[in-house]
Short mmCIF file of all heavy atoms in Angstrom, two decimals:
data_model
loop_
_atom_site.label_atom_id
_atom_site.label_comp_id
_atom_site.label_asym_id
_atom_site.label_seq_id
_atom_site.Cartn_x
_atom_site.Cartn_y
_atom_site.Cartn_z
N ASP A 3 6.19 13.98 13.03
CA ASP A 3 5.74 15.32 12.93
C ASP A 3 5.29 15.74 11.51
O ASP A 3 4.57 16.66 11.31
CB ASP A 3 6.86 16.34 13.29
CG ASP A 3 7.31 16.19 14.66
OD1 ASP A 3 6.61 15.54 15.48
OD2 ASP A 3 8.40 16.70 15.04
N ASP A 4 5.80 15.00 10.43
CA ASP A 4 5.38 15.35 9.09
C ASP A 4 4.37 14.46 8.51
O ASP A 4 4.20 14.25 7.29
CB ASP A 4 6.67 15.48 8.21
CG ASP A 4 7.36 14.21 8.09
OD1 ASP A 4 7.09 13.22 8.82
OD2 ASP A 4 8.38 14.17 7.35
N PHE A 9 -3.78 10.37 10.04
CA PHE A 9 -3.03 9.13 9.77
C PHE A 9 -2.39 8.64 11.04
O PHE A 9 -1.89 9.43 11.77
CB PHE A 9 -1.88 9.33 8.75
CG PHE A 9 -2.47 9.32 7.24
CD1 PHE A 9 -2.87 10.46 6.64
CD2 PHE A 9 -2.52 8.25 6.59
CE1 PHE A 9 -3.40 10.52 5.41
CE2 PHE A 9 -3.04 8.22 5.24
CZ PHE A 9 -3.45 9.38 4.70
N LEU A 24 4.32 2.21 8.23
CA LEU A 24 3.13 2.40 7.45
C LEU A 24 2.06 3.07 8.21
O LEU A 24 1.77 2.70 9.41
CB LEU A 24 2.62 1.01 6.89
CG LEU A 24 1.35 0.96 6.07
CD1 LEU A 24 1.69 1.72 4.68
CD2 LEU A 24 1.00 -0.47 5.82
N HIS A 27 -5.23 6.03 7.40
CA HIS A 27 -6.20 6.91 7.89
C HIS A 27 -7.51 6.01 8.10
O HIS A 27 -8.10 5.51 7.17
CB HIS A 27 -6.52 8.00 6.81
CG HIS A 27 -7.33 9.18 7.21
ND1 HIS A 27 -8.63 9.05 7.63
CD2 HIS A 27 -6.89 10.42 7.49
CE1 HIS A 27 -9.08 10.18 7.98
NE2 HIS A 27 -8.01 11.10 7.91
N GLU A 29 -10.62 6.72 8.78
CA GLU A 29 -11.85 7.00 8.15
C GLU A 29 -11.90 6.78 6.64
O GLU A 29 -12.96 6.58 6.12
CB GLU A 29 -12.06 8.50 8.48
CG GLU A 29 -12.41 8.75 9.94
CD GLU A 29 -12.45 10.28 10.32
OE1 GLU A 29 -12.70 11.07 9.37
OE2 GLU A 29 -12.38 10.55 11.51
N THR A 37 8.57 9.12 2.03
CA THR A 37 9.81 8.67 1.38
C THR A 37 11.03 9.24 2.03
O THR A 37 11.07 10.43 2.42
CB THR A 37 9.77 8.92 -0.18
OG1 THR A 37 9.78 10.40 -0.29
CG2 THR A 37 8.61 8.30 -0.85
N GLU A 40 16.99 6.83 1.75
CA GLU A 40 17.41 5.42 1.47
C GLU A 40 16.44 4.82 0.57
O GLU A 40 16.71 3.64 0.05
CB GLU A 40 17.59 4.64 2.75
CG GLU A 40 16.45 4.68 3.73
CD GLU A 40 16.57 5.74 4.79
OE1 GLU A 40 17.02 6.84 4.59
OE2 GLU A 40 16.07 5.50 5.91
N ALA A 44 18.76 5.43 -8.74
CA ALA A 44 19.97 6.02 -9.25
C ALA A 44 19.65 7.44 -9.81
O ALA A 44 20.68 8.25 -9.92
CB ALA A 44 20.51 5.17 -10.42
N VAL A 57 2.32 -0.78 -2.27
CA VAL A 57 1.04 -1.29 -2.89
C VAL A 57 0.70 -2.65 -2.39
O VAL A 57 -0.42 -2.99 -2.00
CB VAL A 57 1.14 -1.34 -4.53
CG1 VAL A 57 -0.02 -2.10 -5.07
CG2 VAL A 57 1.14 0.17 -4.98
N ASP A 58 1.65 -3.54 -2.37
CA ASP A 58 1.53 -4.90 -1.91
C ASP A 58 0.99 -4.95 -0.50
O ASP A 58 0.02 -5.65 -0.26
CB ASP A 58 2.79 -5.66 -1.98
CG ASP A 58 2.74 -7.12 -1.71
OD1 ASP A 58 1.78 -7.75 -2.13
OD2 ASP A 58 3.64 -7.72 -1.00
N ARG A 63 -3.35 -5.55 3.41
CA ARG A 63 -3.93 -5.08 4.59
C ARG A 63 -5.37 -4.48 4.38
O ARG A 63 -6.28 -4.85 5.15
CB ARG A 63 -3.12 -4.04 5.34
CG ARG A 63 -3.51 -3.49 6.68
CD ARG A 63 -3.43 -4.55 7.70
NE ARG A 63 -2.04 -5.00 7.97
CZ ARG A 63 -1.30 -4.51 9.05
NH1 ARG A 63 -1.88 -3.67 9.86
NH2 ARG A 63 -0.09 -4.89 9.22
N THR A 65 -7.54 -5.37 2.02
CA THR A 65 -8.43 -6.47 1.72
C THR A 65 -8.88 -7.15 3.03
O THR A 65 -10.01 -7.48 3.26
CB THR A 65 -7.75 -7.38 0.75
OG1 THR A 65 -7.62 -6.74 -0.47
CG2 THR A 65 -8.64 -8.72 0.60
N GLY A 91 11.31 12.56 -0.29
CA GLY A 91 10.69 13.39 0.85
C GLY A 91 9.17 13.48 0.63
O GLY A 91 8.51 14.07 1.50
N LEU A 100 -11.07 -3.23 -3.02
CA LEU A 100 -11.39 -4.68 -3.27
C LEU A 100 -12.41 -4.64 -4.41
O LEU A 100 -13.57 -4.13 -4.27
CB LEU A 100 -12.03 -5.22 -1.98
CG LEU A 100 -12.27 -6.72 -2.02
CD1 LEU A 100 -12.14 -7.28 -0.56
CD2 LEU A 100 -13.45 -7.12 -2.71
N THR A 110 -8.09 -7.11 -6.60
CA THR A 110 -7.98 -5.77 -6.02
C THR A 110 -7.38 -4.76 -6.97
O THR A 110 -6.72 -5.20 -8.02
CB THR A 110 -7.08 -5.81 -4.71
OG1 THR A 110 -5.78 -6.15 -5.09
CG2 THR A 110 -7.62 -6.71 -3.65
N SER A 111 -7.41 -3.54 -6.68
CA SER A 111 -6.68 -2.51 -7.49
C SER A 111 -6.31 -1.39 -6.42
O SER A 111 -6.79 -1.43 -5.32
CB SER A 111 -7.61 -1.97 -8.57
OG SER A 111 -8.83 -1.42 -8.01
N GLU A 113 -4.58 2.83 -6.37
CA GLU A 113 -4.10 4.03 -6.99
C GLU A 113 -3.05 4.58 -5.96
O GLU A 113 -3.35 4.66 -4.75
CB GLU A 113 -5.15 5.00 -7.30
CG GLU A 113 -5.98 4.59 -8.53
CD GLU A 113 -7.00 5.64 -8.94
OE1 GLU A 113 -7.17 6.60 -8.15
OE2 GLU A 113 -7.48 5.51 -10.05
N LEU A 120 -1.50 11.46 -9.61
CA LEU A 120 -1.48 9.96 -9.64
C LEU A 120 -0.12 9.53 -10.13
O LEU A 120 0.24 9.97 -11.28
CB LEU A 120 -2.62 9.53 -10.66
CG LEU A 120 -2.82 8.04 -10.75
CD1 LEU A 120 -3.30 7.42 -9.43
CD2 LEU A 120 -3.86 7.78 -11.88
N VAL A 121 0.60 8.77 -9.45
CA VAL A 121 1.92 8.35 -9.84
C VAL A 121 2.08 6.92 -10.15
O VAL A 121 3.01 6.47 -10.81
CB VAL A 121 2.92 8.74 -8.68
CG1 VAL A 121 3.10 10.21 -8.43
CG2 VAL A 121 2.70 7.97 -7.41
N ARG A 123 -0.52 2.99 -10.75
CA ARG A 123 -1.82 2.27 -10.69
C ARG A 123 -1.47 0.78 -10.75
O ARG A 123 -0.68 0.43 -11.48
CB ARG A 123 -2.70 2.78 -11.93
CG ARG A 123 -4.12 2.12 -11.86
CD ARG A 123 -4.89 2.66 -13.09
NE ARG A 123 -5.28 4.04 -12.71
CZ ARG A 123 -5.35 5.04 -13.68
NH1 ARG A 123 -4.87 4.78 -14.81
NH2 ARG A 123 -5.76 6.21 -13.35
N ARG A 130 -6.98 -16.17 -0.97
CA ARG A 130 -7.79 -16.01 0.32
C ARG A 130 -7.62 -17.29 1.09
O ARG A 130 -7.91 -18.33 0.63
CB ARG A 130 -9.20 -15.62 0.01
CG ARG A 130 -10.03 -15.34 1.20
CD ARG A 130 -11.40 -14.99 0.77
NE ARG A 130 -12.28 -14.51 1.89
CZ ARG A 130 -13.49 -14.09 1.78
NH1 ARG A 130 -14.04 -14.11 0.50
NH2 ARG A 130 -14.15 -13.71 2.78
N ARG A 132 -9.10 -18.69 4.43
CA ARG A 132 -10.10 -18.54 5.45
C ARG A 132 -9.65 -19.21 6.76
O ARG A 132 -8.97 -20.27 6.69
CB ARG A 132 -11.47 -19.01 5.04
CG ARG A 132 -12.05 -18.23 3.89
CD ARG A 132 -13.38 -18.94 3.47
NE ARG A 132 -13.92 -18.17 2.40
CZ ARG A 132 -15.01 -17.42 2.50
NH1 ARG A 132 -15.52 -17.16 3.68
NH2 ARG A 132 -15.47 -16.75 1.46
N LYS A 134 -9.72 -21.47 9.93
CA LYS A 134 -10.30 -22.83 10.09
C LYS A 134 -11.32 -22.78 11.26
O LYS A 134 -11.06 -22.21 12.25
CB LYS A 134 -9.18 -23.78 10.51
CG LYS A 134 -8.13 -23.92 9.36
CD LYS A 134 -7.39 -25.20 9.52
CE LYS A 134 -6.21 -25.17 8.56
NZ LYS A 134 -6.37 -25.42 7.28
#
Side-chain angles (χ1 to χ4, degrees):
D3 296 348
D4 62 354
F9 281 86
L24 180 67
H27 195 292
E29 294 173 15
T37 61
E40 53 265 36
V57 168
D58 188 40
R63 185 67 69 100
T65 295
L100 191 153
T110 66
S111 55
E113 290 188 341
L120 181 65
V121 298
R123 184 176 284 137
R130 183 177 187 178
R132 292 180 182 255
K134 299 199 190 288

